[in-house]
């Protein structure tokens, strides 16, 4: 059957594309991913220090209506490892909380109780045969380092990060073969230092573009308390930045708030005291923040890699170190327009090339050097280049969504406020484009997060782009997933019977397999996320988990349909998308993907999901059997 026929069948609800775990090969790992601040809770337990997220979340009331312990993985980690095991995962990606290991961020504060906690977790994983992939920095910087020298705005962060990494390599090295230095340095640079919706909540670009700021303050370091409200979700497709009314936005469709009730009236005070990235500079231009934060993240990453390679890596390099980068996929809004085609490539440069180009080729992408104010983009001197270039054994890729992009010159009123990350790119982002006179959205299924539109085909485009432009690295998909609203009335159907998530994962796996077949060196896939969790500026209002967390009942765990689906898939039974799933992407598989369809359908249908799925039914007294039947026979 050819590709188009398969897609047509799928869309018509006919025989869908079946995939098998074994199609991916024996050395391909499947896992789920989490991050310390999003699941652990226990902020004051066993000597942990404050991170910038403790402060930011409290100041902005992000824990409402629950609290910082909500998911409580700190206490329940054994139960969570058991769940992973029952689903059938090979691997688990989690992050270590820097302030649990070094509460002040400095070696003098080394905290044995925090270290012991992760040893208990790693031991449990080992007992269950689950391989750890460990991230050192998933945004929870010790608050003390933010207070002392403005965190990642200062070059000193590289030394402190190196010291922290060294402790982790030493203490956990016997358990860990795969280290990830940083998670999504892009998001930390953009959402926390341009968009101010993530800790430490810096950046006033939007205030200036929307007219609440002035040219003068745009150019000075912020030293005063700010009472500017954090912007509540203007990003995706919003049009507050121009008068064209063409549906486009000059903003990255990134983190917006999903719940109108989450109020974030205050942002953290930025206590700049003159310390800066360049020791001779008196202050940092605020519009340079993301570029400087990026540079210092790369230096910190490189420092950790240097220490790892010098002291801990085995000669055969069985132990590996890498970095996790995020990117959307971009298509030109008008595929026949040369400017839009260049715009799509430039959008990739400003997202993932920003990191890959220095890591692989030793400098920022040519387009950034051309488009960004040279006073803002740090120069890559020889020492920095030497440290950064080639400092990875693998690249982790987080992929969630895609957009159409078009070339767009900044408007005069925007030019007046000064060059900044938003207008530097000369891009506009769109959720749809016109094809044969009809408006076609880039994807049909949406997450609860405004920015998340499912576009499975994008994972193929992104992986081929990385392979071709960045020396064909070893890649792990370290995150991919979709979220649901935490909506009381729809909780039962949209949360437990998460067919949208099943379709999302299934369709991405199809394209991932295709990428592998086209020669991409991809060796793993991690679902974001194992558990519903604290979704940053969206608080607990967005649910990304394979396992439902009942926040009102002691964070009780209830595996969802997607967990049951994955259990079947991982147990090597052919699985199809959930009935009624959108299949909005079409299925571009070659004949190999569908080849194993029918012979496995019977065993899949008779295979019980197992007892880890029984707790879910307790919630629905009386109709338990109906749901059980539904679950067991769905596939
Ligand atoms: C981050 C996760 C986050 C997920 C969904 C990724 O950018 O690494 O921490 O929860 O996306 O927004």
């Amino acid at each position: 059957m050819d590709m188009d026929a398969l897609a047509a069948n799928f869309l018509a609800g006919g025989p869908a594309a079946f995939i098998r775990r074994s199609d991916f090969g024996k050395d391909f790992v499947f896992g789920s991913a989490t991050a310390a601040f999003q699941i652990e809770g226990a902020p004051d337990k066993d000597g942990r220090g404050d991170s910038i997220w403790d402060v930011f979340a409290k100041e902005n009331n992000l824990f409402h209506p629950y609290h910082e312990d909500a998911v409580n993985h700190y206490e329940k980690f054994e139960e969570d490892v058991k769940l992973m095991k029952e689903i059938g995962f090979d691997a688990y990606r989690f992050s270590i909380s820097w302030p649990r290991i070094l509460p002040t961020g400095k070696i003098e504060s080394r905290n044995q109780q925090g270290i012991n906690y992760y040893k208990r977790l790693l031991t449990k994983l080992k007992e269950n045969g689950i391989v750890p992939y460990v991230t050192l920095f998933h945004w929870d910087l010790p608050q003390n380092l933010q207070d002392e020298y403005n965190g990642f705005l200062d070059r000193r962060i590289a030394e402190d990060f190196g010291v922290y990494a060294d402790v982790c390599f030493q203490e956990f090295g016997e358990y860990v073969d795969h280290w990830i230095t940083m998670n999504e340095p892009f998001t930390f640079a953009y959402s926390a230092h341009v968009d101010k919706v993530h800790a430490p909540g810096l950046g006033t670009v939007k205030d200036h573009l929307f007219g609440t700021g002035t040219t003068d303050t745009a150019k000075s370091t912020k030293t005063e308390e700010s009472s500017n409200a954090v912007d509540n979700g203007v990003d995706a497709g919003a049009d507050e930045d121009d008068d064209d009314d063409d549906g486009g936005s000059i903003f990255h469709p990134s983190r917006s708030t999903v719940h109108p009730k989450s109020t974030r009236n205050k942002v953290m005070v930025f206590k700049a005291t003159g310390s800066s990235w360049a020791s001779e500079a008196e202050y940092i231009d605020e519009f340079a923040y993301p570029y400087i934060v990026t540079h210092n993240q790369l230096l910190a990453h490189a420092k950790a890699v240097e220490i790892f390679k010098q002291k801990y890596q085995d000669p055969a390099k069985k132990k590996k170190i890498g970095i996790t980068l995020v990117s959307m996929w971009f298509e030109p809004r008008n595929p026949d327009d040369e400017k839009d085609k260049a715009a799509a490539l430039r959008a990739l440069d400003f997202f993932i090339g920003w990191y890959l180009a220095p890591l692989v080729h030793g400098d920022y992408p040519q387009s950034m050097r051309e488009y960004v104010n040279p006073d803002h983009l740090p120069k890559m001197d020889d020492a920095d280049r030497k440290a950064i270039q080639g400092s990875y054994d693998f690249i982790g890729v987080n992929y969630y969504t895609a957009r159409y992009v078009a070339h767009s010159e900044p408007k005069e009123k925007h030019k007046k406020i000064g060059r900044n990350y938003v207008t530097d790119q000369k891009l506009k982002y769109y959720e749809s484009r016109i094809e044969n006179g009809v408006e076609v959205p880039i994807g049909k299924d949406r997450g609860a997060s405004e920015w998340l539109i499912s576009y499975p085909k994008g994972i193929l485009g992104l992986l081929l782009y990385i392979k071709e432009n960045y020396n064909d690295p070893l890649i792990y998909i370290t995150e991919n997933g979709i979220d649901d609203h935490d909506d009381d009335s729809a909780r039962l159907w949209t949360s437990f019977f998460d067919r949208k998530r099943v379709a999302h994962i299934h369709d991405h796996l199809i394209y991932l397999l295709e990428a592998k077949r086209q020669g991409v060196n991809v060796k793993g896939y991690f679902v974001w996320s194992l558990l519903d969790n604290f979704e940053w500026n969206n608080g607990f209002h967005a649910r990304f988990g394979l396992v439902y967390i009942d926040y009102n009942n002691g964070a009780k765990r209830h595996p969802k349909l997607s967990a049951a689906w994955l259990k079947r898939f991982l147990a090597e039974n052919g699985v199809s998308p959930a009935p009624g799933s959108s299949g909005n992407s079409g299925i571009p598989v070659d004949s190999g993907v569908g080849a194993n369809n029918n012979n496995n359908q019977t065993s899949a249908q008779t295979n019980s999901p197992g007892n880890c799925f029984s707790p879910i039914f307790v919630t629905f007294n009386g109709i338990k059997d109906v749901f059980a039947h539904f679950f067991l026979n769905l596939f």
Side-chain angles (χ1 to χ4, degrees), residues 38 138-139 183-184 255 398 400 451 479 528 535-536 544:
Q38 295 180 270
H138 201 126
W139 310 340
N183 178 70
E184 297 191 6
R255 318 285 147 178
N398 291 355
Y400 285 90
W451 53 269
E479 286 181 31
W528 183 270
E535 177 50 22
W536 307 115
F544 270 97

PDB file of all heavy atoms in Angstrom, residues 38 138-139 183-184 255 398 400 451 479 528 535-536 544, ligand 1:
ATOM      1  N   GLN A  38       8.967  19.939  38.805  1.00  0.00           N
ATOM      2  CA  GLN A  38       7.585  19.725  38.373  1.00  0.00           C
ATOM      3  C   GLN A  38       6.892  18.588  39.127  1.00  0.00           C
ATOM      4  O   GLN A  38       5.673  18.506  39.125  1.00  0.00           O
ATOM      5  CB  GLN A  38       7.559  19.459  36.866  1.00  0.00           C
ATOM      6  CG  GLN A  38       8.020  20.666  36.069  1.00  0.00           C
ATOM      7  CD  GLN A  38       7.998  20.431  34.569  1.00  0.00           C
ATOM      8  OE1 GLN A  38       8.981  19.989  34.003  1.00  0.00           O
ATOM      9  NE2 GLN A  38       6.885  20.715  33.927  1.00  0.00           N
ATOM     10  N   HIS A 138      17.280  21.535  34.939  1.00  0.00           N
ATOM     11  CA  HIS A 138      15.972  21.723  34.302  1.00  0.00           C
ATOM     12  C   HIS A 138      15.336  22.962  34.952  1.00  0.00           C
ATOM     13  O   HIS A 138      14.271  22.901  35.536  1.00  0.00           O
ATOM     14  CB  HIS A 138      15.116  20.465  34.468  1.00  0.00           C
ATOM     15  CG  HIS A 138      14.003  20.337  33.471  1.00  0.00           C
ATOM     16  ND1 HIS A 138      13.824  19.230  32.684  1.00  0.00           N
ATOM     17  CD2 HIS A 138      12.993  21.182  33.145  1.00  0.00           C
ATOM     18  CE1 HIS A 138      12.752  19.390  31.915  1.00  0.00           C
ATOM     19  NE2 HIS A 138      12.221  20.572  32.185  1.00  0.00           N
ATOM     20  N   TRP A 139      16.088  24.069  34.925  1.00  0.00           N
ATOM     21  CA  TRP A 139      15.622  25.426  35.211  1.00  0.00           C
ATOM     22  C   TRP A 139      15.542  25.816  36.696  1.00  0.00           C
ATOM     23  O   TRP A 139      15.271  26.978  37.011  1.00  0.00           O
ATOM     24  CB  TRP A 139      14.260  25.704  34.556  1.00  0.00           C
ATOM     25  CG  TRP A 139      14.198  25.354  33.099  1.00  0.00           C
ATOM     26  CD1 TRP A 139      15.246  25.196  32.242  1.00  0.00           C
ATOM     27  CD2 TRP A 139      13.028  25.121  32.316  1.00  0.00           C
ATOM     28  NE1 TRP A 139      14.815  24.884  30.981  1.00  0.00           N
ATOM     29  CE2 TRP A 139      13.436  24.822  30.992  1.00  0.00           C
ATOM     30  CE3 TRP A 139      11.667  25.141  32.598  1.00  0.00           C
ATOM     31  CZ2 TRP A 139      12.548  24.542  29.963  1.00  0.00           C
ATOM     32  CZ3 TRP A 139      10.778  24.859  31.570  1.00  0.00           C
ATOM     33  CH2 TRP A 139      11.209  24.572  30.266  1.00  0.00           C
ATOM     34  N   ASN A 183      18.439  21.248  30.158  1.00  0.00           N
ATOM     35  CA  ASN A 183      17.197  21.070  29.425  1.00  0.00           C
ATOM     36  C   ASN A 183      16.785  22.380  28.775  1.00  0.00           C
ATOM     37  O   ASN A 183      16.621  23.392  29.452  1.00  0.00           O
ATOM     38  CB  ASN A 183      16.074  20.642  30.365  1.00  0.00           C
ATOM     39  CG  ASN A 183      14.763  20.493  29.620  1.00  0.00           C
ATOM     40  OD1 ASN A 183      14.612  19.574  28.822  1.00  0.00           O
ATOM     41  ND2 ASN A 183      13.823  21.416  29.839  1.00  0.00           N
ATOM     42  N   GLU A 184      16.623  22.354  27.463  1.00  0.00           N
ATOM     43  CA  GLU A 184      16.070  23.489  26.712  1.00  0.00           C
ATOM     44  C   GLU A 184      16.660  24.835  27.111  1.00  0.00           C
ATOM     45  O   GLU A 184      15.929  25.693  27.644  1.00  0.00           O
ATOM     46  CB  GLU A 184      14.554  23.531  26.870  1.00  0.00           C
ATOM     47  CG  GLU A 184      13.843  22.333  26.322  1.00  0.00           C
ATOM     48  CD  GLU A 184      12.324  22.511  26.259  1.00  0.00           C
ATOM     49  OE1 GLU A 184      11.829  23.609  26.540  1.00  0.00           O
ATOM     50  OE2 GLU A 184      11.647  21.538  25.908  1.00  0.00           O
ATOM     51  N   ARG A 255       5.331  29.805  25.673  1.00  0.00           N
ATOM     52  CA  ARG A 255       4.577  29.598  26.904  1.00  0.00           C
ATOM     53  C   ARG A 255       3.506  30.640  27.192  1.00  0.00           C
ATOM     54  O   ARG A 255       3.810  31.737  27.625  1.00  0.00           O
ATOM     55  CB  ARG A 255       5.552  29.614  28.080  1.00  0.00           C
ATOM     56  CG  ARG A 255       6.801  28.886  27.808  1.00  0.00           C
ATOM     57  CD  ARG A 255       6.556  27.440  27.865  1.00  0.00           C
ATOM     58  NE  ARG A 255       7.429  26.799  26.917  1.00  0.00           N
ATOM     59  CZ  ARG A 255       7.475  25.480  26.755  1.00  0.00           C
ATOM     60  NH1 ARG A 255       6.719  24.693  27.447  1.00  0.00           N
ATOM     61  NH2 ARG A 255       8.287  24.962  25.878  1.00  0.00           N
ATOM     62  N   ASN A 398      13.746  17.880  22.130  1.00  0.00           N
ATOM     63  CA  ASN A 398      12.361  17.951  22.592  1.00  0.00           C
ATOM     64  C   ASN A 398      11.534  18.536  21.448  1.00  0.00           C
ATOM     65  O   ASN A 398      11.828  19.633  20.968  1.00  0.00           O
ATOM     66  CB  ASN A 398      12.223  18.868  23.809  1.00  0.00           C
ATOM     67  CG  ASN A 398      12.892  18.289  25.052  1.00  0.00           C
ATOM     68  OD1 ASN A 398      13.382  17.156  25.033  1.00  0.00           O
ATOM     69  ND2 ASN A 398      12.920  19.059  26.128  1.00  0.00           N
ATOM     70  N   TYR A 400       7.544  19.358  20.136  1.00  0.00           N
ATOM     71  CA  TYR A 400       6.125  19.427  20.496  1.00  0.00           C
ATOM     72  C   TYR A 400       5.218  19.944  19.381  1.00  0.00           C
ATOM     73  O   TYR A 400       4.102  19.502  19.238  1.00  0.00           O
ATOM     74  CB  TYR A 400       5.923  20.360  21.705  1.00  0.00           C
ATOM     75  CG  TYR A 400       6.352  19.759  23.022  1.00  0.00           C
ATOM     76  CD1 TYR A 400       7.639  19.920  23.488  1.00  0.00           C
ATOM     77  CD2 TYR A 400       5.472  19.003  23.790  1.00  0.00           C
ATOM     78  CE1 TYR A 400       8.044  19.365  24.698  1.00  0.00           C
ATOM     79  CE2 TYR A 400       5.851  18.450  24.998  1.00  0.00           C
ATOM     80  CZ  TYR A 400       7.146  18.623  25.447  1.00  0.00           C
ATOM     81  OH  TYR A 400       7.524  18.053  26.632  1.00  0.00           O
ATOM     82  N   TRP A 451       0.159  27.190  22.899  1.00  0.00           N
ATOM     83  CA  TRP A 451       1.201  27.075  21.865  1.00  0.00           C
ATOM     84  C   TRP A 451       1.250  25.689  21.244  1.00  0.00           C
ATOM     85  O   TRP A 451       1.892  25.487  20.225  1.00  0.00           O
ATOM     86  CB  TRP A 451       2.575  27.418  22.477  1.00  0.00           C
ATOM     87  CG  TRP A 451       2.900  26.638  23.719  1.00  0.00           C
ATOM     88  CD1 TRP A 451       2.625  27.014  25.001  1.00  0.00           C
ATOM     89  CD2 TRP A 451       3.522  25.350  23.806  1.00  0.00           C
ATOM     90  NE1 TRP A 451       3.039  26.038  25.883  1.00  0.00           N
ATOM     91  CE2 TRP A 451       3.599  25.006  25.170  1.00  0.00           C
ATOM     92  CE3 TRP A 451       4.036  24.441  22.864  1.00  0.00           C
ATOM     93  CZ2 TRP A 451       4.155  23.812  25.621  1.00  0.00           C
ATOM     94  CZ3 TRP A 451       4.593  23.249  23.319  1.00  0.00           C
ATOM     95  CH2 TRP A 451       4.641  22.957  24.683  1.00  0.00           C
ATOM     96  N   GLU A 479      11.824  14.516  24.815  1.00  0.00           N
ATOM     97  CA  GLU A 479      10.453  14.867  25.218  1.00  0.00           C
ATOM     98  C   GLU A 479       9.565  14.956  23.991  1.00  0.00           C
ATOM     99  O   GLU A 479       9.978  15.481  22.951  1.00  0.00           O
ATOM    100  CB  GLU A 479      10.383  16.244  25.915  1.00  0.00           C
ATOM    101  CG  GLU A 479      10.919  16.265  27.306  1.00  0.00           C
ATOM    102  CD  GLU A 479      10.814  17.644  27.956  1.00  0.00           C
ATOM    103  OE1 GLU A 479       9.869  18.398  27.641  1.00  0.00           O
ATOM    104  OE2 GLU A 479      11.684  17.954  28.780  1.00  0.00           O
ATOM    105  N   TRP A 528       6.824  12.927  27.240  1.00  0.00           N
ATOM    106  CA  TRP A 528       6.581  13.906  28.307  1.00  0.00           C
ATOM    107  C   TRP A 528       5.084  13.893  28.577  1.00  0.00           C
ATOM    108  O   TRP A 528       4.332  14.254  27.697  1.00  0.00           O
ATOM    109  CB  TRP A 528       7.018  15.318  27.904  1.00  0.00           C
ATOM    110  CG  TRP A 528       6.811  16.252  29.065  1.00  0.00           C
ATOM    111  CD1 TRP A 528       5.698  16.975  29.360  1.00  0.00           C
ATOM    112  CD2 TRP A 528       7.751  16.500  30.115  1.00  0.00           C
ATOM    113  NE1 TRP A 528       5.872  17.664  30.529  1.00  0.00           N
ATOM    114  CE2 TRP A 528       7.119  17.388  31.019  1.00  0.00           C
ATOM    115  CE3 TRP A 528       9.047  16.053  30.411  1.00  0.00           C
ATOM    116  CZ2 TRP A 528       7.752  17.837  32.179  1.00  0.00           C
ATOM    117  CZ3 TRP A 528       9.658  16.515  31.552  1.00  0.00           C
ATOM    118  CH2 TRP A 528       9.011  17.397  32.425  1.00  0.00           C
ATOM    119  N   GLU A 535       3.012  22.455  35.581  1.00  0.00           N
ATOM    120  CA  GLU A 535       3.382  22.878  34.234  1.00  0.00           C
ATOM    121  C   GLU A 535       3.785  24.363  34.251  1.00  0.00           C
ATOM    122  O   GLU A 535       3.156  25.226  33.649  1.00  0.00           O
ATOM    123  CB  GLU A 535       2.230  22.572  33.266  1.00  0.00           C
ATOM    124  CG  GLU A 535       2.395  23.004  31.834  1.00  0.00           C
ATOM    125  CD  GLU A 535       3.704  22.613  31.138  1.00  0.00           C
ATOM    126  OE1 GLU A 535       4.372  21.655  31.563  1.00  0.00           O
ATOM    127  OE2 GLU A 535       4.048  23.305  30.176  1.00  0.00           O
ATOM    128  N   TRP A 536       4.830  24.657  34.994  1.00  0.00           N
ATOM    129  CA  TRP A 536       5.464  25.975  35.005  1.00  0.00           C
ATOM    130  C   TRP A 536       4.439  27.109  35.147  1.00  0.00           C
ATOM    131  O   TRP A 536       3.627  27.063  36.060  1.00  0.00           O
ATOM    132  CB  TRP A 536       6.352  26.137  33.761  1.00  0.00           C
ATOM    133  CG  TRP A 536       7.341  24.997  33.630  1.00  0.00           C
ATOM    134  CD1 TRP A 536       7.385  24.055  32.646  1.00  0.00           C
ATOM    135  CD2 TRP A 536       8.409  24.642  34.541  1.00  0.00           C
ATOM    136  NE1 TRP A 536       8.413  23.162  32.876  1.00  0.00           N
ATOM    137  CE2 TRP A 536       9.056  23.500  34.021  1.00  0.00           C
ATOM    138  CE3 TRP A 536       8.908  25.177  35.743  1.00  0.00           C
ATOM    139  CZ2 TRP A 536      10.148  22.881  34.648  1.00  0.00           C
ATOM    140  CZ3 TRP A 536       9.995  24.570  36.367  1.00  0.00           C
ATOM    141  CH2 TRP A 536      10.593  23.451  35.820  1.00  0.00           C
ATOM    142  N   PHE A 544      -0.070  16.839  31.394  1.00  0.00           N
ATOM    143  CA  PHE A 544       0.727  16.191  30.349  1.00  0.00           C
ATOM    144  C   PHE A 544       0.941  14.704  30.620  1.00  0.00           C
ATOM    145  O   PHE A 544       1.622  14.025  29.863  1.00  0.00           O
ATOM    146  CB  PHE A 544       2.114  16.839  30.259  1.00  0.00           C
ATOM    147  CG  PHE A 544       2.222  18.000  29.300  1.00  0.00           C
ATOM    148  CD1 PHE A 544       2.112  19.316  29.744  1.00  0.00           C
ATOM    149  CD2 PHE A 544       2.453  17.779  27.952  1.00  0.00           C
ATOM    150  CE1 PHE A 544       2.237  20.387  28.861  1.00  0.00           C
ATOM    151  CE2 PHE A 544       2.582  18.842  27.058  1.00  0.00           C
ATOM    152  CZ  PHE A 544       2.475  20.144  27.517  1.00  0.00           C
TER     153      PHE A 544
HETATM  154  C1  LIG B   1       9.899  21.267  29.201  1.00  0.00           C
HETATM  155  C2  LIG B   1       9.013  20.641  30.240  1.00  0.00           C
HETATM  156  C3  LIG B   1       7.597  21.137  30.040  1.00  0.00           C
HETATM  157  C4  LIG B   1       7.118  20.675  28.682  1.00  0.00           C
HETATM  158  C5  LIG B   1       5.695  21.084  28.362  1.00  0.00           C
HETATM  159  C6  LIG B   1       9.295  21.280  27.836  1.00  0.00           C
HETATM  160  O1  LIG B   1       9.577  22.481  27.242  1.00  0.00           O
HETATM  161  O2  LIG B   1      11.173  20.696  29.201  1.00  0.00           O
HETATM  162  O3  LIG B   1       9.515  20.959  31.500  1.00  0.00           O
HETATM  163  O4  LIG B   1       6.736  20.725  31.046  1.00  0.00           O
HETATM  164  O5  LIG B   1       7.933  21.252  27.701  1.00  0.00           O
HETATM  165  O6  LIG B   1       5.550  22.448  28.356  1.00  0.00           O
END
